[in-house]
Amino acid sequence: MVNNSYYSQELHGPYELHDIGNLELEEGGTIRNCNLAYATFGTLNAAKDNAILVPTWYSGTNKIIEQVLIGKGRGLDPDKYFIIVVNQIGNGLSSSPHNTPAPGGMANFPRVRIGDDVRAQHKLLTEKFGLTSLALVVGGSMGAQQTYEWAVRYPDMVKRAAPIAGTARNTVHDFLFTETLVDAITSDPGFNNGFYQSPSDVREGLLRHAKMWAVMGWSTQFFQSGKYKALGFSSLDDFIVNFMYAYFSVMDPNDLLCMAWKWQRGDVSRHTGGDLREALGRIKARTVVMPMSSDMFFPPADCQAEWRLIRDAEFRPIETIDGHLALFGADPNALVQIDKHLTELLATKV
Amino acid sequence: MVNNSYYSQELHGPYELHDIGNLELEEGGTIRNCNLAYATFGTLNAAKDNAILVPTWYSGTNKIIEQVLIGKGRGLDPDKYFIIVVNQIGNGLSSSPHNTPAPGGMANFPRVRIGDDVRAQHKLLTEKFGLTSLALVVGGSMGAQQTYEWAVRYPDMVKRAAPIAGTARNTVHDFLFTETLVDAITSDPGFNNGFYQSPSDVREGLLRHAKMWAVMGWSTQFFQSGKYKALGFSSLDDFIVNFMYAYFSVMDPNDLLCMAWKWQRGDVSRHTGGDLREALGRIKARTVVMPMSSDMFFPPADCQAEWRLIRDAEFRPIETIDGHLALFGADPNALVQIDKHLTELLATKV
């Protein structure tokens, strides 16, 4: 374990922890007493048919989901729905390399797959809340990977699905990009094969990782139009240091690597021997696919290719110059579009 | 100086060296006995009006220009034109950190700007060949930066200009991407502040640099469609190792950094106090702007924004899924398009 005050109730709460017991993983390891951190908004109705699940993206926690997507009058309205945001394994709040006691923590933390997260979440939702139906599963990026996995794995339980800025099967290009992020961290001599004394030993690796996120995460237009200045940063350097570095440098390197490994290998076609068409054909949820128009990770064309394989699905690109990181919510107009699509989806009878 | 057999007549020749004397640089340093390596194709006519200049891109030499762009019946036809390919300073054949004797070599090699290259090339062309007119300047990427610089700096000399996959003023986003490439190399402990004993001391940094080129250099479609397999590689790993690593890992780290610094700061508006419109307004050359349709470095929109500022210019995007690295010539159809546009441009009376 490594002390890290970033992963705290003060910064990310309030959230609850639920111990789902030992989680046996697809890759063969086991997380003992796997804890899922989650936050809920709104009230579950008597029919238990107003529950919405929101899994988290890479580096994200329940807090940013709350800030960006949830609110009165929004698509995810706690006055109408019971919204459960579940932190993915490895994100620092749920069971993660940094908060797991030796010998199972740090670099010994086992390999986790998207499917493991979804099985763990299923256990939480059924055991803790007695849910048998989800009005909607919605998530961005790795949250989209989990959304697709939910819709394919539990087709009768998921009534609606909204994968935003993500794919059901990761692309070769995105796998490669993520590998460069991994390399940025692991190449830091202070990383010490994952057994650093403190995250600050890996500072330079974390900063390189953050800068590479800046390159692929936004878009050329975002920078060319000076959007980073409009967000209150005086220069490119100021933006890199006081936004990108500030955001990532406080995180735990092994936690990020746990998520990165999982992200690289997200693939619903593992259920069907590699047949993506067959896997997506299992989806019964009413689905709206929402890529970000300027996303360099998951360009609309890549999302569109999957959308074509989903029955009765809608393809609704979100127009924005914020690229993949429109997920951060800095483009209010992108949020308006997402809210509109979610509201319409939730109004659809299924 | 560092021995490096990659930069040799065997691999890149035949080329000639021309000593233009001391080159005083915009940033204040001096390259003593600056040597430009160049290769020529075809014959200069009596009127001396059939000369074409082709400057090189990042990591490129005269050899790849010859292989990709020059040939009988091509746009750049040595039967019709006298084609001079000049290796940019820092590329390993012309004066560069690795081939400059101590104390001026290695990390002591001075900062070079695109404008320095263009002044040096001007000296070569006027002194050595007595040229007062260029039928065309054409180049890709950093070659496009030099093409723009030529057209703005020597508007009466440059009759036609064809910047391919590059910009007149580098974008903020591309500056940032290039910085991550620089970081990949300089963060290698073996780099030793630029005073390594052998390029192989920086192997890991060079490999990270190569992988990052793979991410931004091609496109998602290039990978998603399996194009790398069509090029003869059995897997993504095989492609990364035997193409990307093989290509970059033999190069000199300081040479790459010299070019990267220059690339980041390419900007014709240095002539006009930062006014890009005024700078591009100086161009008298008949200009055809050719972005690559899937380029993640210089997306068509960024090139189009500059094209609008050039008098009577044509905007001719090259349709390809090979991204920026369509410059490598692996998409024959991209070459057909470039040839067509160059042929038409050269046929235009000016």
Side-chain angles (χ1 to χ4, degrees), chain A residues 60-348:
Chain A
T61 72
N62 56 283
K63 201 60 183 177
I64 193 167
I65 301 288
E66 176 188 350
Q67 291 166 342
V68 172
L69 290 176
I70 298 173
K72 253 182 205 292
R74 304 282 310 274
L76 304 187
D77 187 338
D79 283 355
K80 297 183 187 167
Y81 301 102
F82 177 58
I83 304 157
I84 311 147
V85 186
V86 184
N87 292 275
Q88 67 167 300
I89 295 167
N91 89 328
L93 300 186
S94 291
S95 283
S96 299
H98 99 273
N99 63 20
T100 296
M106 305 288 287
N108 287 337
F109 196 78
R111 301 292 196 200
V112 184
R113 284 190 174 269
I114 294 288
D116 296 316
D117 268 286
V118 168
R119 279 188 303 116
Q121 289 162 15
H122 184 265
K123 210 166 175 199
L124 170 71
L125 299 191
T126 52
E127 286 181 3
K128 174 83 186 174
F129 300 107
L131 297 179
T132 55
S133 160
L134 285 166
L136 170 69
V137 182
V138 53
S141 197
M142 287 188 74
Q145 292 183 311
Q146 293 165 75
T147 298
Y148 276 120
E149 179 74 20
W150 261 98
V152 170
R153 189 181 279 261
Y154 303 113
D156 292 315
M157 185 163 173
V158 181
K159 302 305 175 194
R160 299 174 192 80
I164 304 173
T167 53
R169 177 161 73 186
N170 199 14
T171 63
V172 179
H173 180 258
D174 189 72
F175 181 95
L176 190 62
F177 165 61
T178 313
E179 202 154 275
T180 64
L181 292 176
V182 169
D183 290 349
I185 291 174
T186 59
S187 64
D188 188 323
F191 179 64
N192 192 29
N193 294 316
F195 291 101
Y196 41 83
Q197 296 296 314
S198 151
S200 65
D201 296 350
V202 198
R203 184 185 298 110
E204 292 192 17
L206 287 172
L207 299 186
R208 286 198 294 277
H209 163 276
K211 204 187 280 179
M212 289 157 68
W213 260 97
V215 171
M216 287 284 289
W218 307 97
S219 73
T220 56
Q221 299 96 308
F222 175 85
F223 289 104
Q224 207 60 5
S225 68
K227 176 82 184 278
Y228 59 104
K229 292 182 182 168
L231 294 176
F233 298 92
S234 61
S235 65
L236 180 63
D237 273 357
D238 187 36
F239 177 72
I240 295 298
V241 171
N242 289 304
F243 187 88
M244 299 305 296
Y245 286 0
Y247 178 71
F248 280 115
S249 66
V250 290
M251 297 183 189
D252 182 78
N254 284 318
D255 288 3
L256 292 172
L257 294 174
C258 171
M259 289 183 280
W261 194 93
K262 195 198 297 180
W263 163 14
Q264 288 184 290
R265 292 163 182 82
D267 181 3
V268 296
S269 79
R270 286 166 54 80
H271 292 287
T272 51
D275 187 329
L276 184 63
R277 179 182 298 274
E278 190 187 332
L280 293 175
R282 291 188 183 178
I283 296 177
K284 295 183 179 174
R286 183 82 184 177
T287 303
V288 177
V289 174
M290 286 184 247
M292 302 294 183
S293 61
S294 52
D295 195 326
M296 296 174 81
F297 290 28
F298 308 109
D302 287 344
C303 300
Q304 194 170 30
E306 295 185 335
W307 159 75
R308 290 185 202 287
L309 306 179
I310 305 168
R311 212 171 10 247
D312 297 331
E314 309 257 350
F315 184 68
R316 295 278 177 262
I318 306 299
E319 292 300 323
T320 178
I321 65 164
D322 279 17
H324 189 68
L325 293 180
L327 290 171
F328 277 174
D331 177 359
N333 188 252
L335 299 184
V336 167
Q337 295 171 68
I338 290 171
D339 277 342
K340 175 173 177 289
H341 299 318
L342 290 180
T343 302
E344 289 177 7
L345 175 59
L346 283 162
T348 307

